């Protein structure tokens, strides 16, 4: 996988499955992550595990307002 040092990557569905695996892989390359998923507690645990370069917010991608807030990172 390419290096993403200091690049911000937004990941949806980051609390489990492919989204979580992607977050782990990208964090290992030095990316700064902003994760979104419905299960906030699982995201909190993942962010604590991956370190200070990971931020998150609860996100329901089917909710337009949630998604708009997610892509406008400072809103979360």
């Amino acid at each position: 996988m390419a290096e993403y040092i200091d690049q911000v990557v937004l990941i949806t569905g980051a609390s489990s499955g492919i989204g979580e695996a992607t977050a782990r892989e990208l964090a290992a390359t030095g990316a700064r992550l902003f994760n979104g998923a419905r299960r906030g507690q699982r995201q909190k645990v993942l962010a604590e595990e991956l370190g200070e370069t990971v931020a998150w917010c609860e996100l329901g991608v089917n909710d337009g307002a949630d998604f708009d807030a997610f892509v406008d990172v400072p809103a979360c």
Side-chain angles (χ1 to χ4, degrees), residues 5-75:
I5 296 171
D6 291 330
Q7 296 205 24
V8 177
V9 179
L10 289 91
I11 301 173
T12 61
S15 63
S16 66
I18 293 170
E20 180 182 352
T22 300
R24 291 180 183 284
E25 287 289 323
L26 290 174
T29 71
R32 295 172 53 215
L33 305 179
F34 191 68
N35 296 339
R38 292 173 294 175
R39 294 176 280 190
Q41 185 58 36
R42 288 186 69 158
Q43 287 196 87
K44 180 180 178 186
V45 170
L46 179 63
E48 289 171 353
E49 182 181 331
L50 296 180
E52 62 186 40
T53 61
V54 179
W56 61 275
C57 75
E58 289 191 35
L59 167 69
V61 294
N62 293 329
D63 181 322
D66 272 6
F67 191 77
D68 288 346
F70 179 69
V71 297
D72 184 21
V73 173

